[in-house]
């Protein structure tokens, strides 16, 4: 049995790129009954960039509702809020006493963020240690992440090995990253990678009118309706083929290539496809967002199960480190 674990920060409302690039592939992986999956909402990590508490609550609800609405089986597995298990903060401290300072100084993501952000806080710097604790606390074997997280996973592996070596015992499971190089980069409305920070995203859980408006904003070239067009150069087509059936995508490519078919037509088809593809998930998402108590109940159930795993790991850690009370045998 492999234990799969991944987290999504609660720094915004999940967009189509997050769904297709991270959440749906992870749910697919969790369907294998041989696996045991822990998916969580990294709300502590989001404090590095988002300071408003009410915004965080909404974002946590949105991320949780997304996992649930897209069909993650939270009864068989675990869906939880990172901050519901403060044990992770204790583990972060122990680990930070083993992480060499230069390892954090060399983190690409810290360098990128500290160049871009005005608020360069210590949390941004120690972000990878908390992420390592997220993984090691639950004895995860496999961690599906995007390419941008590869270095963080290497740090987690190095740290696990360093502690195991120091105490000459297997305190931690050494996790493996699962980086799917085939995973698509979903383009945003401006043709660049879809990202909340570029404001070029499509939110598929909104009502159809709002989806239509976002789709209308997709940047297209200035060719006339009559001209034949290369579908590969159209962001509308690139998004369409990610959400429509293979036949419908081929049909759109042929219409583009034949001419007499404009970007406006393609946008109408894309809107329809997005509305249809996520119709059941949209309904469930909206039900959940209107009922945050249900979200809390599901997250609490996940946290209770995850705690049973985390407590055993922390016992091993405290025992080798000589902290906490001696166990009465
Ligand atoms: P954002 O770029 O919007 O801030 P995050 O960095 O929070 O998104 O990403 C959360 C997860 O979604 C990561 O696993 C990331 O690889 C994935 N992801 C984000 N944007 C895209 C995209 N445009 N295409 C594919 N996957 C994406
Ligand atoms: N840093 C990850 C991201 O931004 C989110 C994350 C936090 C995570 N803790 C994790 C991912 C542990 C995997 C495992 O995408």
């Amino acid at each position: 049995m492999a234990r799969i674990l991944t987290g999504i920060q609660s720094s915004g409302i999940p967009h189509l790129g997050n769904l297709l690039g991270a959440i749906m592939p992870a749910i697919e992986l969790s369907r294998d009954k041989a696996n045991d999956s822990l998916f969580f909402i990294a709300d502590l990590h989001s404090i590095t960039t988002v300071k408003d508490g009410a915004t965080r609550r909404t974002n946590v609800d949105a991320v949780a509702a997304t996992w649930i609405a897209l069909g993650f089986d939270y009864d068989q597995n675990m869906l939880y809020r990172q901050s519901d298990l403060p044990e992770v903060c204790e583990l972060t401290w122990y680990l930070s006493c083993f992480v060499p300072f230069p390892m954090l100084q060399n983190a690409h993501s810290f360098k990128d963020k500290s160049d871009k952000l005005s608020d360069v806080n210590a949390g941004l710097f120690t972000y990878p240690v908390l992420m390592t604790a997220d993984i090691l606390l639950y004895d995860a074997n496999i961690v599906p992440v995007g390419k941008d997280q590869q270095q963080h996973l290497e740090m987690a592996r190095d740290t696990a090995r360093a502690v195991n070596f120091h105490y000459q015992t297997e305190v931690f499971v050494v996790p493996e990253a699962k980086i799917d190089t085939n995973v698509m980069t979903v383009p945003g409305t401006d043709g660049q990678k879809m990202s909340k920070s570029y404001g070029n995203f499509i939110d598929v859980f909104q009502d159809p009118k709002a989806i239509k408006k976002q789709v209308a904003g997709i940047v297209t070239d200035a060719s006339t309706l009559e001209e034949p067009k290369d579908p590969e150069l159209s962001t509308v087509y690139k998004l369409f083929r990610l959400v429509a059936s293979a036949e419908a995508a081929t049909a759109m490519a042929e219409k583009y290539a034949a001419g007499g078919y404009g970007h406006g037509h393609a946008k109408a088809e894309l809107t329809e496809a997005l509305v249809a593809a996520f119709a059941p998930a949209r309904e469930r998402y909206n039900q959940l967002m209107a009922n945050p108590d249900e979200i809390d109940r599901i997250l609490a159930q996940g946290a209770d199960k995850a705690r049973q795993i985390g407590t055993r790991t922390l016992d091993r850690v405290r025992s080798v480190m000589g902290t906490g009370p001696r166990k009465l045998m």
Side-chain angles (χ1 to χ4, degrees):
M1 186 193 75
R3 182 164 293 149
I4 320 271
L5 174 144
T6 197
I8 299 268
Q9 278 201 64
S10 52
S11 46
I13 309 286
H15 53 66
L16 183 64
N18 302 139
L19 268 51
L20 297 177
I23 299 179
M24 289 162 74
I27 293 177
E28 216 29 64
L29 215 56
S30 73
R31 293 196 202 282
D32 184 341
K33 293 273 175 282
N35 296 336
D36 163 25
S37 299
L38 286 88
F39 295 159
F40 69 97
I41 301 132
D43 59 339
L44 296 174
H45 275 110
S46 74
I47 309 175
T48 57
T49 51
V50 176
K51 296 293 189 278
D52 184 62
T55 304
R56 188 167 355 274
R57 287 236 179 264
T58 307
N59 291 344
V60 169
D61 286 348
V63 178
T66 302
W67 282 110
I68 301 165
L70 292 172
F72 177 52
D73 186 342
Y74 51 81
D75 281 327
Q76 285 301 315
N77 299 285
M78 287 156 257
L79 179 69
Y80 58 96
R81 188 196 273 121
Q82 184 186 30
S83 62
D84 282 346
L85 291 130
E87 289 87 342
V88 77
C89 297
E90 181 180 340
L91 183 58
T92 298
W93 175 254
Y94 297 131
L95 298 176
S96 47
C97 298
F98 282 82
V99 170
F101 183 72
M103 183 158 109
L104 295 178
Q105 277 178 309
N106 288 331
H108 312 307
S109 86
F110 175 70
K111 285 188 208 156
D112 286 354
K113 287 180 192 157
S114 55
D115 284 346
K116 284 194 203 117
L117 301 175
S118 53
D119 172 20
V120 183
N121 54 69
L124 273 181
F125 188 67
T126 56
Y127 183 111
V129 190
L130 177 57
M131 181 159 163
T132 298
D134 285 331
I135 299 168
L136 302 187
L137 184 60
Y138 304 105
D139 291 342
N141 305 106
I142 296 174
V143 185
V145 280
K147 227 182 156 334
D148 58 323
Q149 300 296 315
Q150 184 162 14
Q151 194 189 24
H152 290 160
L153 258 294
E154 275 156 20
M155 294 179 180
R157 287 167 62 80
D158 286 351
T159 308
R161 285 202 206 95
V163 174
N164 290 351
F165 181 77
H166 187 89
Y167 294 105
Q168 286 296 299
T169 176
E170 203 193 337
V171 183
F172 295 123
V173 170
V174 180
E176 260 175 57
K178 183 174 186 304
I179 296 168
D180 195 344
T181 43
N182 295 323
V183 120
M184 68 218 62
T185 298
V186 179
T189 53
D190 57 358
Q192 290 189 71
K193 174 183 183 272
M194 187 179 288
S195 170
K196 55 186 164 285
S197 43
Y198 304 150
N200 62 356
F201 53 84
I202 294 177
D203 170 4
V204 298
F205 295 135
Q206 312 170 89
D207 66 80
K209 261 199 195 142
I211 296 178
K212 185 173 176 199
K213 209 169 151 200
Q214 284 187 331
V215 169
I218 297 175
V219 179
T220 50
D221 63 27
S223 51
T224 62
L225 180 94
E226 290 73 27
E227 277 175 68
K229 302 170 193 58
D230 180 353
E232 293 300 328
L233 299 178
S234 162
T235 304
V236 186
Y237 169 71
K238 286 186 191 158
L239 287 168
F240 185 74
R241 75 177 164 199
L242 295 175
V243 292
S245 69
E247 300 82 64
T250 309
M252 181 184 279
E254 285 168 3
K255 284 185 269 184
Y256 257 129
Y261 179 81
H263 293 301
H265 296 125
K267 285 180 177 179
E269 286 196 55
L270 174 59
T271 303
E272 225 176 88
L274 286 168
V275 171
F278 293 98
R282 182 176 309 113
E283 198 184 326
R284 179 78 174 120
Y285 175 92
N286 286 315
Q287 253 174 17
L288 287 158
M289 290 303 279
N291 190 1
D293 288 349
E294 190 180 350
I295 298 179
D296 274 342
R297 183 191 62 73
I298 293 169
L299 295 179
Q301 168 189 317
D304 284 346
K305 270 170 87 178
R307 186 171 293 108
Q308 293 175 22
I309 306 169
T311 308
R312 285 197 296 271
T313 309
L314 260 187
D315 278 349
R316 292 198 303 273
V317 178
R318 289 177 184 147
S319 153
V320 295
M321 305 236 175
T323 60
R326 275 183 200 83
K327 282 258 148 48
L328 295 174
M329 291 298 180

mmCIF file of all heavy atoms in Angstrom, residues 5-9 40 42 45 127 131 134-135 143 145 149 152, ligand 2:
data_model
loop_
_atom_site.group_PDB
_atom_site.id
_atom_site.type_symbol
_atom_site.label_atom_id
_atom_site.label_comp_id
_atom_site.label_asym_id
_atom_site.label_seq_id
_atom_site.Cartn_x
_atom_site.Cartn_y
_atom_site.Cartn_z
ATOM 1 N N LEU A 5 0.153 11.749 -0.575
ATOM 2 C CA LEU A 5 -0.188 12.966 0.172
ATOM 3 C C LEU A 5 0.086 14.183 -0.694
ATOM 4 O O LEU A 5 1.122 14.255 -1.365
ATOM 5 C CB LEU A 5 0.659 13.028 1.449
ATOM 6 C CG LEU A 5 0.539 14.309 2.294
ATOM 7 C CD1 LEU A 5 0.629 13.965 3.794
ATOM 8 C CD2 LEU A 5 1.591 15.353 1.960
ATOM 9 N N THR A 6 -0.864 15.110 -0.715
ATOM 10 C CA THR A 6 -0.542 16.395 -1.341
ATOM 11 C C THR A 6 -1.382 17.511 -0.730
ATOM 12 O O THR A 6 -2.416 17.256 -0.112
ATOM 13 C CB THR A 6 -0.693 16.364 -2.884
ATOM 14 O OG1 THR A 6 0.019 17.498 -3.419
ATOM 15 C CG2 THR A 6 -2.118 16.395 -3.358
ATOM 16 N N GLY A 7 -0.875 18.725 -0.876
ATOM 17 C CA GLY A 7 -1.578 19.882 -0.312
ATOM 18 C C GLY A 7 -1.727 20.969 -1.349
ATOM 19 O O GLY A 7 -0.916 21.089 -2.258
ATOM 20 N N ILE A 8 -2.803 21.726 -1.197
ATOM 21 C CA ILE A 8 -3.015 22.895 -2.054
ATOM 22 C C ILE A 8 -3.165 24.083 -1.123
ATOM 23 O O ILE A 8 -3.948 24.031 -0.171
ATOM 24 C CB ILE A 8 -4.329 22.743 -2.880
ATOM 25 C CG1 ILE A 8 -4.274 21.513 -3.787
ATOM 26 C CG2 ILE A 8 -4.643 24.013 -3.654
ATOM 27 C CD1 ILE A 8 -3.775 21.734 -5.175
ATOM 28 N N GLN A 9 -2.431 25.133 -1.381
ATOM 29 C CA GLN A 9 -2.532 26.324 -0.531
ATOM 30 C C GLN A 9 -3.900 26.977 -0.672
ATOM 31 O O GLN A 9 -4.462 26.993 -1.772
ATOM 32 C CB GLN A 9 -1.516 27.360 -1.004
ATOM 33 C CG GLN A 9 -0.136 27.149 -0.494
ATOM 34 C CD GLN A 9 0.645 28.447 -0.581
ATOM 35 O OE1 GLN A 9 0.329 29.434 0.075
ATOM 36 N NE2 GLN A 9 1.679 28.430 -1.386
ATOM 37 N N PHE A 40 -4.783 17.729 1.723
ATOM 38 C CA PHE A 40 -5.072 18.752 2.735
ATOM 39 C C PHE A 40 -4.999 20.152 2.157
ATOM 40 O O PHE A 40 -4.445 20.384 1.083
ATOM 41 C CB PHE A 40 -4.141 18.600 3.938
ATOM 42 C CG PHE A 40 -2.709 18.944 3.642
ATOM 43 C CD1 PHE A 40 -2.210 20.199 3.950
ATOM 44 C CD2 PHE A 40 -1.865 18.016 3.063
ATOM 45 C CE1 PHE A 40 -0.887 20.524 3.683
ATOM 46 C CE2 PHE A 40 -0.544 18.336 2.774
ATOM 47 C CZ PHE A 40 -0.052 19.592 3.088
ATOM 48 N N ALA A 42 -3.502 23.687 2.657
ATOM 49 C CA ALA A 42 -2.345 24.273 3.345
ATOM 50 C C ALA A 42 -2.659 25.716 3.729
ATOM 51 O O ALA A 42 -2.183 26.670 3.115
ATOM 52 C CB ALA A 42 -1.109 24.160 2.453
ATOM 53 N N HIS A 45 0.461 27.630 5.268
ATOM 54 C CA HIS A 45 1.361 28.150 4.229
ATOM 55 C C HIS A 45 0.823 29.437 3.609
ATOM 56 O O HIS A 45 1.590 30.328 3.252
ATOM 57 C CB HIS A 45 1.555 27.103 3.125
ATOM 58 C CG HIS A 45 2.626 26.106 3.427
ATOM 59 N ND1 HIS A 45 2.375 24.792 3.718
ATOM 60 C CD2 HIS A 45 3.972 26.244 3.476
ATOM 61 C CE1 HIS A 45 3.516 24.156 3.943
ATOM 62 N NE2 HIS A 45 4.494 25.017 3.799
ATOM 63 N N TYR A 127 9.279 28.255 4.714
ATOM 64 C CA TYR A 127 8.178 27.550 4.027
ATOM 65 C C TYR A 127 8.508 26.083 3.717
ATOM 66 O O TYR A 127 7.720 25.180 4.007
ATOM 67 C CB TYR A 127 7.886 28.343 2.744
ATOM 68 C CG TYR A 127 6.757 27.883 1.870
ATOM 69 C CD1 TYR A 127 5.593 28.641 1.744
ATOM 70 C CD2 TYR A 127 6.846 26.716 1.109
ATOM 71 C CE1 TYR A 127 4.565 28.240 0.906
ATOM 72 C CE2 TYR A 127 5.821 26.311 0.280
ATOM 73 C CZ TYR A 127 4.684 27.072 0.184
ATOM 74 O OH TYR A 127 3.658 26.672 -0.641
ATOM 75 N N MET A 131 6.599 22.520 4.886
ATOM 76 C CA MET A 131 6.158 21.576 3.849
ATOM 77 C C MET A 131 6.755 20.184 4.102
ATOM 78 O O MET A 131 6.086 19.163 3.932
ATOM 79 C CB MET A 131 6.574 22.108 2.473
ATOM 80 C CG MET A 131 6.137 21.225 1.344
ATOM 81 S SD MET A 131 6.094 22.142 -0.206
ATOM 82 C CE MET A 131 6.084 20.758 -1.346
ATOM 83 N N ASP A 134 4.766 18.635 6.790
ATOM 84 C CA ASP A 134 3.469 18.172 6.250
ATOM 85 C C ASP A 134 3.583 16.749 5.726
ATOM 86 O O ASP A 134 2.650 15.962 5.821
ATOM 87 C CB ASP A 134 3.067 19.007 5.013
ATOM 88 C CG ASP A 134 2.573 20.388 5.345
ATOM 89 O OD1 ASP A 134 2.017 20.570 6.436
ATOM 90 O OD2 ASP A 134 2.744 21.280 4.488
ATOM 91 N N ILE A 135 4.719 16.478 5.107
ATOM 92 C CA ILE A 135 4.903 15.192 4.424
ATOM 93 C C ILE A 135 5.373 14.110 5.399
ATOM 94 O O ILE A 135 4.826 13.013 5.445
ATOM 95 C CB ILE A 135 5.933 15.363 3.278
ATOM 96 C CG1 ILE A 135 5.408 16.383 2.262
ATOM 97 C CG2 ILE A 135 6.258 14.026 2.624
ATOM 98 C CD1 ILE A 135 6.444 16.848 1.254
ATOM 99 N N VAL A 143 4.306 11.844 -3.236
ATOM 100 C CA VAL A 143 3.787 13.198 -3.143
ATOM 101 C C VAL A 143 3.636 13.785 -4.555
ATOM 102 O O VAL A 143 4.616 14.209 -5.163
ATOM 103 C CB VAL A 143 4.726 14.089 -2.287
ATOM 104 C CG1 VAL A 143 4.131 15.471 -2.081
ATOM 105 C CG2 VAL A 143 5.022 13.429 -0.946
ATOM 106 N N VAL A 145 3.158 16.498 -7.102
ATOM 107 C CA VAL A 145 3.302 17.969 -7.092
ATOM 108 C C VAL A 145 3.641 18.469 -8.489
ATOM 109 O O VAL A 145 4.057 17.699 -9.354
ATOM 110 C CB VAL A 145 4.429 18.455 -6.148
ATOM 111 C CG1 VAL A 145 3.999 18.488 -4.701
ATOM 112 C CG2 VAL A 145 5.700 17.646 -6.321
ATOM 113 N N GLN A 149 7.605 22.465 -7.448
ATOM 114 C CA GLN A 149 7.787 21.995 -6.063
ATOM 115 C C GLN A 149 8.871 20.926 -5.951
ATOM 116 O O GLN A 149 9.104 20.385 -4.866
ATOM 117 C CB GLN A 149 6.468 21.428 -5.519
ATOM 118 C CG GLN A 149 5.323 22.431 -5.488
ATOM 119 C CD GLN A 149 5.605 23.578 -4.550
ATOM 120 O OE1 GLN A 149 6.062 23.382 -3.434
ATOM 121 N NE2 GLN A 149 5.357 24.798 -5.001
ATOM 122 N N HIS A 152 11.525 21.520 -3.326
ATOM 123 C CA HIS A 152 11.012 21.348 -1.962
ATOM 124 C C HIS A 152 10.956 19.870 -1.581
ATOM 125 O O HIS A 152 11.214 19.494 -0.442
ATOM 126 C CB HIS A 152 9.617 21.974 -1.834
ATOM 127 C CG HIS A 152 9.631 23.470 -1.897
ATOM 128 N ND1 HIS A 152 8.525 24.218 -2.202
ATOM 129 C CD2 HIS A 152 10.633 24.354 -1.682
ATOM 130 C CE1 HIS A 152 8.835 25.502 -2.175
ATOM 131 N NE2 HIS A 152 10.117 25.616 -1.871
HETATM 132 N N1 LIG B 2 3.857 24.210 -1.550
HETATM 133 C C1 LIG B 2 2.787 23.558 -2.264
HETATM 134 C C2 LIG B 2 2.329 24.453 -3.433
HETATM 135 O O1 LIG B 2 2.427 25.657 -3.350
HETATM 136 C C3 LIG B 2 1.627 23.274 -1.328
HETATM 137 C C4 LIG B 2 2.022 22.326 -0.237
HETATM 138 C C5 LIG B 2 2.197 22.627 1.080
HETATM 139 C C6 LIG B 2 2.301 20.944 -0.395
HETATM 140 N N2 LIG B 2 2.574 21.522 1.775
HETATM 141 C C7 LIG B 2 2.653 20.473 0.906
HETATM 142 C C8 LIG B 2 2.306 20.092 -1.492
HETATM 143 C C9 LIG B 2 3.022 19.126 1.110
HETATM 144 C C10 LIG B 2 2.662 18.753 -1.273
HETATM 145 C C11 LIG B 2 3.016 18.288 0.022
HETATM 146 O O2 LIG B 2 1.843 23.935 -4.434
#
